[in-house]
Amino acid sequence: MQINFAAPQLDRKGTVVVGASERDLLPAASDLDRRLGGALKRAAEASRFKGKPGQVVELLSPSGIQASRVLLVGIGPAGKIDGPAAEKIGAAAVARLLTSGETDVTFMIDSPRDAKIKPGLLAAHIALGAQLRSYSFHKYRTKQREEHEPTLKNVMIVTSEAAAARKAWDRLRAVADGVFLARDLVNEPPNVLSPQEFAERAKMLGKLGVKVEVLGEEAMRKLGMNTLLGVGQGSERESQLVVMQWNGGRKKDQPVAFVGKGVCFDSGGLSLKPGASMMGMKGDMGGAAAVTGTMLALASRKAKVNAVGILGLVENMPDGNAQRPDDVVTSMSGQTVEILNTDAEGRLVLADALWYAQTKFKPKFVIDLATLTGAILIALGLEHAGLFSNDDKLANRIQEAGSEVGEPVWRLPLSDAYDKMLKSKIADMKNISGVTHAGSIVAAQFLQRFIDKTPWAHLDIAGVAWQDGEQKPLSPGWGVGWGVRILDRLVADHYEK
Ligand code: BES
Ligand code: MN
Ligand code: ZN
């Protein structure tokens, strides 16, 4: 799909998209309605259109104009329009048109006079919504391909500030590319996306100037990464640690660090999951996917920051060499862990990956992303990711970035009382508490034992990394690509110079 920006102009072929607030038609819609002899207003009334965000009325083959169809899209209360609202407009139109047979669409959404967002930026966010909604993952379909094949090719966004729009879009397009990569990785089936295949795909970021190193099991053994290795030891496939570096900042600047849980498939190991709970566990590398997508976005928009992305890639399987409940393993930090449930594997992978990130790179902060606990779905459902942090400033910045880009997070507590739940009879700690309550917090407490003094935040994304039921407006399909936008925004807001 090609996206372009243009100054206001006359007749367009294909579909024309105009807007209406909750009160009335915006000027471009009014003009069009006049030329259509009032047909647009009549259609709006006939279909109970109220101008609510994302609401759409479709007028096919209208007479008197060149366009083959008109979409009237609701923008909500006019003065309140912002980036996320603009994205919903772009997404709502593309949702209607993507596979409809239409090839061309022109957005003529006027910037309301009292809007907080400038016209150029408004146009760029319409573009972002259109782009994010145009995603599809159909590479494994061999039948009914044609009906699923997108037809929409050219997206034109009319704006009084075309140059500013292009500049803003340059940046946002890089972010969309990162989201697409993360979605592709999450959607890819686990027979295809092994730890090694994931590492191969991460290596492709080399083309953008990202330095990518891959450590295999031998190298990790030398470093003493036994909690990570223990998770992968029941799999035929070799575990991998991927280290990506984007050096867009000043030479001496401490990097920011992102660490992703990359369990390419989580069967539970010997503490085997029941069949129904195992479905979808190809997505248990959603944290690693988000970190990879973020690195792509930062490199592709040449962010002025030094950033490190670390992926702990393993497959959690139950073969004859698999880790047992009751095993005791020594982590890279030197602390010992009694494994009581092999399905609490994400924290074991992150323990070593986090330790490696801090000792090797001395980062300004480290943020890990992980589909860590089913309990976070009980607490927060599918709307917010769980946020845990030892640093209020970092936590607040993450929270703010999340609400700016529509990836909201909710902070949950950490404290000694929860930490005590990890006491083991024979080792420094055990990997589960043994009781069912506060599962997400206990998991975060476990991670915190592998944080030195570095400002740290943990995002539990088990509820938001993929979606089975209702689709989010900007995210068709299964993998959401959650995390790329919030991390990119956090960096852009505070860590670039
Ligand atoms: N990958 C799962 C968490 C998960 C569950 C993600 C559902 C997405 C949807 C994780 O490795 C896991 O199995 N966690 C256990 C921990 C328990 C054994 C303490 C869980 O949540 O049940
Ligand atoms: Mn598990
Ligand atoms: Zn898992």
Side-chain angles (χ1 to χ4, degrees):
M1 209 170 75
Q2 270 292 324
I3 297 185
N4 287 297
F5 300 91
Q9 51 191 303
L10 286 172
D11 261 1
R12 303 281 314 177
K13 64 176 178 131
T15 296
V16 171
V17 182
V18 290
S21 72
E22 286 178 0
R23 256 200 273 126
D24 40 26
L25 299 183
L26 299 180
S30 264
D31 280 357
L32 197 62
D33 187 47
R34 226 168 293 125
R35 288 167 61 197
L36 293 169
L40 199 53
K41 263 209 170 115
R42 282 205 307 280
E45 272 156 29
S47 57
R48 294 182 151 184
F49 178 85
K50 295 281 186 301
K52 295 258 181 275
Q55 230 188 338
V56 177
V57 176
E58 188 171 9
L59 213 63
L60 281 164
S61 347
S63 62
I65 61 171
Q66 206 194 334
S68 56
R69 79 179 96 190
V70 174
L71 291 188
L72 178 64
V73 179
I75 71 160
K80 289 228 175 88
I81 193 161
D82 55 6
E87 287 156 22
K88 287 207 185 83
I89 295 171
V94 166
R96 276 291 174 108
L97 300 173
L98 190 64
T99 59
S100 68
E102 183 58 271
T103 58
D104 290 74
V105 60
T106 302
F107 286 86
M108 307 214 302
I109 305 292
D110 315 79
S111 190
R113 212 167 283 146
D114 49 348
K116 283 169 276 167
I117 183 170
K118 288 193 168 166
L121 201 57
L122 178 77
H125 280 277
I126 292 175
L128 179 61
Q131 179 70 5
L132 289 176
R133 188 63 182 72
S134 76
Y135 178 84
S136 66
F137 188 81
H138 291 143
K139 64 196 266 201
Y140 295 110
R141 281 190 201 282
T142 64
K143 292 180 179 150
Q144 295 163 315
R145 223 188 162 122
E146 206 180 322
E147 309 160 32
H148 295 284
E149 212 56 70
T151 53
L152 196 62
K153 296 276 176 305
N154 302 304
V155 177
M156 177 66 82
I157 297 161
V158 168
T159 169
S160 58
E161 297 182 354
R166 277 184 210 110
K167 195 162 163 232
W169 173 235
D170 252 4
R171 220 196 133 269
L172 292 177
R173 181 175 43 198
V175 179
D177 288 349
V179 174
F180 277 27
L181 173 60
R183 287 178 183 174
D184 280 347
L185 290 166
V186 171
N187 287 330
E188 199 67 73
N191 56 331
V192 175
L193 196 75
S194 61
Q196 283 185 332
E197 174 61 20
F198 196 136
E200 286 306 314
R201 298 204 187 179
K203 279 187 198 160
M204 291 183 202
L205 299 193
K207 278 187 286 195
L208 296 169
V210 178
K211 187 172 151 207
V212 185
E213 276 172 280
V214 180
L215 278 62
E217 291 185 354
E218 201 44 54
M220 285 191 272
R221 200 159 291 122
K222 282 194 187 124
L223 289 166
M225 304 181 93
N226 298 311
T227 56
L228 187 154
L229 289 168
V231 176
Q233 80 187 33
S235 165
E236 292 280 323
R237 290 148 162 204
E238 190 181 343
S239 302
Q240 310 270 289
L241 188 84
V242 172
V243 184
M244 299 173 279
Q245 295 177 66
W246 166 250
N247 293 317
R250 287 186 299 234
K251 257 230 163 72
K252 292 246 169 73
D253 269 359
Q254 272 178 290
V256 300
F258 305 115
V259 174
K261 168 179 172 181
V263 177
C264 293
F265 185 72
D266 182 11
S267 71
L270 284 177
S271 311
L272 197 65
K273 285 182 186 293
S277 317
M278 218 183 283
M279 277 191 286
M281 282 302 142
K282 69 171 182 179
D284 208 19
M285 31 54 71
V291 170
T292 313
T294 302
M295 295 303 289
L296 182 143
L298 294 177
S300 150
R301 70 176 180 78
K302 302 200 162 49
K304 294 190 175 58
V305 67
N306 296 334
V308 181
I310 291 173
L311 317 176
L313 300 172
V314 301
E315 189 181 44
N316 189 19
M317 298 290 269
D319 80 2
N321 189 45
Q323 164 159 276
R324 291 151 289 255
D326 285 354
D327 281 0
V328 173
V329 290
T330 304
S331 68
M332 183 183 178
S333 74
Q335 302 176 90
T336 55
V337 181
E338 182 187 14
I339 311 294
L340 289 178
N341 188 321
T342 63
D343 197 13
E345 86 298 340
R347 59 198 76 180
L348 300 169
V349 171
L350 290 172
D352 279 340
L354 282 166
W355 193 258
Y356 180 87
Q358 294 164 92
T359 51
K360 171 106 188 182
F361 294 103
K362 310 267 179 285
K364 269 194 193 110
F365 65 72
V366 59
I367 299 176
D368 74 77
L369 285 85
T371 49
L372 202 63
T373 64
I376 205 70
L377 280 114
I378 308 297
L380 299 175
L382 310 174
E383 303 307 324
H384 288 78
L387 167 66
F388 301 83
S389 182
N390 62 2
D391 187 284
D392 291 344
K393 191 162 125 194
L394 179 61
N396 291 340
R397 287 176 170 186
I398 293 172
Q399 236 160 351
E400 204 177 274
S403 48
E404 284 166 359
V405 300
E407 290 185 340
V409 304
W410 196 263
R411 191 172 178 187
L412 292 163
L414 294 162
S415 80
D416 287 347
Y418 292 113
D419 182 75
K420 285 203 182 79
M421 296 165 76
L422 290 166
K423 271 194 183 156
S424 158
K425 291 217 165 63
I426 70 163
D428 296 336
M429 69 194 89
K430 51 187 181 179
N431 80 326
I432 56 165
S433 70
V435 295
T436 55
H437 47 237
S440 304
I441 301 176
V442 171
Q445 292 291 168
F446 184 94
L447 299 181
Q448 195 176 13
R449 287 180 173 227
F450 299 87
I451 299 300
D452 208 356
K453 287 193 175 97
T454 313
W456 155 75
H458 156 57
L459 289 165
D460 193 334
I461 62 168
V464 294
W466 65 78
Q467 50 183 8
D468 284 319
E470 204 185 321
Q471 308 282 293
K472 295 201 174 112
L474 300 185
S475 175
W478 198 71
V480 172
W482 198 102
V484 176
R485 298 190 61 196
I486 188 173
L487 295 182
D488 171 77
R489 189 56 177 253
L490 175 74
V491 169
D493 282 352
H494 300 287
Y495 301 97
E496 285 189 66
K497 24 193 116 65

